[in-house]
């Protein structure tokens, strides 16, 4: 009978990079207004949802290759979706993690967005896009970006105001993830506030028009910066070394992503990112290195099996 049919849907949940991130003062609600250039990349988790029709909503989450995490963004997203839509099935979510956690790569947010997109597909798109984004924003500030149609965007507000960019297809890169180190986003914002109170980090920004037009220019001309870079503590010497390597390469741009701990470089030439990888391997730092590429939404389709 159709009513008892289990359905399964699956999709890639891509990581993001922040090429630019300037952060304003702490708001009265505890968040910070920011302006950032976000880029999805081809490093993806895989999220699968199986729906077993029932009379009561339930959700279980299994992380295939990671210990369960305390506050699971996927479970939160599914519960909020159920609250709004009234769905009453048993959902089983499986996630294969590839995106490092506490890396500034948006993995938890992307997984949550994938859950919302997959549930929308499973239930015949019951919500408007704006309702889905409102749910996403409740799960995390980066989730709305991952629900958007564009793989690159200028992001404002606390993360929910998106201006789509014509995504570049020519950015090759390398991601450096320090081993055994993760950065809590909340703590990084706190550090930045404290440093600002002591006048150690100025409030500065680049106009939105300039940020957007810079994105289309050669990466060697990018003047993007990340406010968190000033409060990276023990990770700073590693980032200084990586910055120096980048400065010696033609046509390359390097930055910490988000609040860290991942550092990325991108170049329009594959050869340059390979050269960077070789030089990083030579310094013998305790890091994991990933090859990456800028992503187009068309690369990460939803697959459905009934
Ligand atoms: O929204 P999300 O749960 O990802 O944010 C984690 C923490 O980072 C928040 O609790 C808040 O302390 C901080 N944050 C912020 N301003 C933002 C985004 C996040 O202060 N725009």
């Amino acid at each position: 009978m159709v009513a008892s049919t289990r359905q399964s849907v699956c999709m890639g949940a891509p990581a993001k990079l922040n090429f630019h991130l300037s952060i304003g003062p702490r708001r009265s609600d505890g968040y910070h207004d920011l302006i950032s250039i976000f880029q999805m990349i081809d490093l993806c988790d895989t999220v699968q949802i199986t729906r077993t029709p029932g009379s009561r909503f339930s959700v279980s989450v299994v992380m295939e290759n990671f210990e369960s995490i305390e506050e699971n963004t996927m479970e939160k997203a599914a519960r909020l979706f159920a609250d709004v839509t009234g769905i009453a099935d048993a959902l089983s979510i499986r996630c294969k993690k590839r995106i490092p956690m506490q890396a500034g790569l948006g993995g938890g947010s992307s997984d949550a967005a994938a859950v919302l997109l997959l549930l929308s597909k499973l239930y015949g798109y019951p919500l408007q896009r704006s309702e889905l984004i409102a749910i996403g924003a409740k799960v995390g500030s980066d989730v709305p970006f991952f629900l958007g149609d564009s793989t690159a965007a200028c992001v404002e507000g606390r993360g929910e105001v998106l201006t789509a960019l014509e995504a570049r297809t020519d950015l090759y890169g390398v991601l450096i993830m320090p081993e055994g180190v993760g950065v809590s986003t909340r703590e990084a914002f706190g550090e930045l506030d404290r440093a600002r109170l002591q006048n150690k980090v100025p409030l500065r920004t680049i106009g939105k028009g300039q940020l957007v037009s810079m994105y289309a220019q050669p990466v060697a001309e990018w003047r993007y910066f990340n406010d968190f870079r000033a409060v990276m503590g023990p990770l700073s010497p590693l980032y200084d070394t990586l910055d120096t390597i980048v400065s010696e390469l033609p046509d390359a741009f390097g930055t910490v992503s988000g609040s860290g701990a991942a550092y990325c470089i991108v170049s329009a030439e594959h050869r340059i990112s390979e050269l960077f990888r070789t030089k990083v391997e030579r310094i013998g730092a305790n890091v994991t290195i990933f090859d990456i590429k800028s992503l187009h939404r068309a690369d990460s389709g939803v697959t459905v099996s009934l």
Side-chain angles (χ1 to χ4, degrees):
M1 265 172 58
V2 176
S4 65
T5 307
R6 282 158 65 108
Q7 277 182 303
S8 225
V9 283
C10 178
M11 73 180 282
K16 58 86 175 154
L17 302 175
N18 298 94
F19 292 143
H20 176 86
L21 182 52
S22 50
I23 297 159
R26 190 172 183 274
R27 308 189 313 203
S28 55
D29 64 359
Y31 287 94
H32 297 69
D33 280 323
L34 49 81
I35 183 159
S36 183
I37 299 292
F38 275 53
Q39 171 75 59
M40 285 186 210
I41 56 173
D42 63 350
L43 175 64
C44 291
D45 292 340
T46 309
V47 179
Q48 182 190 39
I49 303 184
T50 305
R51 160 197 183 189
T52 307
S55 53
R56 277 188 64 188
F57 173 78
S58 69
V59 57
S60 66
V61 176
V62 174
M63 310 291 278
E64 263 183 35
N65 50 342
F66 249 90
E67 285 172 31
S68 286
I69 31 189
E70 250 173 50
E71 199 191 338
N72 195 297
T73 55
M74 291 179 286
E75 181 175 338
K76 193 169 175 189
R79 289 194 182 283
L80 287 169
F81 185 93
D83 286 347
V84 177
T85 56
I87 59 170
D89 293 333
L91 301 178
S92 148
I93 302 176
R94 291 187 82 82
C95 176
K96 184 163 186 177
K97 284 298 287 179
R98 293 183 197 85
I99 306 170
M101 293 199 271
Q102 296 203 308
L105 299 172
S109 299
S110 187
D111 295 343
V115 164
L116 295 175
L117 293 171
L118 290 171
L119 290 177
S120 298
K121 167 95 188 163
L122 265 176
Y123 290 95
Y125 303 99
L127 301 178
Q128 306 277 342
R129 176 60 65 115
S130 58
E131 294 173 295
L132 214 55
I133 287 176
I135 294 176
K138 280 189 190 163
V139 180
S141 302
D142 290 345
V143 179
F145 167 68
F146 289 107
L147 292 170
D149 286 329
S150 179
T151 55
C154 180
V155 174
E156 297 171 275
R158 77 166 170 95
E160 77 287 20
V161 182
L162 306 177
T163 305
L165 302 178
E166 181 63 43
R168 290 182 62 156
T169 54
D170 63 337
L171 298 176
Y172 295 92
V174 173
L175 201 63
I176 308 295
M177 185 62 197
E179 278 294 323
V181 185
V183 176
S184 146
T185 306
R186 182 192 296 267
E187 282 169 24
F189 274 101
E191 274 297 311
L192 184 62
D193 290 340
R194 280 188 288 282
R196 287 237 167 96
L197 279 173
Q198 297 164 5
N199 290 322
K200 288 186 186 155
V201 184
L203 276 169
R204 56 188 176 148
T205 192
I206 301 177
K208 181 178 177 183
Q210 222 183 326
L211 284 179
V212 166
S213 60
M214 212 181 276
Y215 176 75
Q217 289 163 9
V219 297
E221 289 171 27
W222 286 2
R223 295 293 169 262
Y224 293 144
F225 60 82
N226 182 335
D227 276 334
F228 284 124
R229 182 68 177 77
V231 290
M232 286 300 177
L235 286 167
S236 283
L238 171 66
Y239 298 145
D240 289 343
T241 306
L242 298 173
D243 281 345
T244 305
I245 296 174
V246 173
S247 69
E248 290 163 355
L249 297 169
D251 188 33
F253 173 81
T255 182
V256 172
S257 184
S259 54
Y263 183 102
C264 64
I265 77 138
V266 285
S267 173
E269 280 189 63
H270 194 220
R271 179 182 67 86
I272 302 292
S273 59
E274 285 189 336
L275 200 57
F276 177 79
R277 179 189 247 279
T278 309
K279 284 175 183 259
V280 172
E281 281 166 353
R282 262 191 225 134
I283 63 172
N286 191 15
V287 295
T288 307
I289 305 178
F290 301 82
D291 291 313
I292 53 168
K293 198 175 178 314
S294 57
L295 188 72
H296 260 225
R297 175 62 89 192
D299 294 343
S300 75
V302 178
T303 55
V304 184
S305 54
L306 300 176

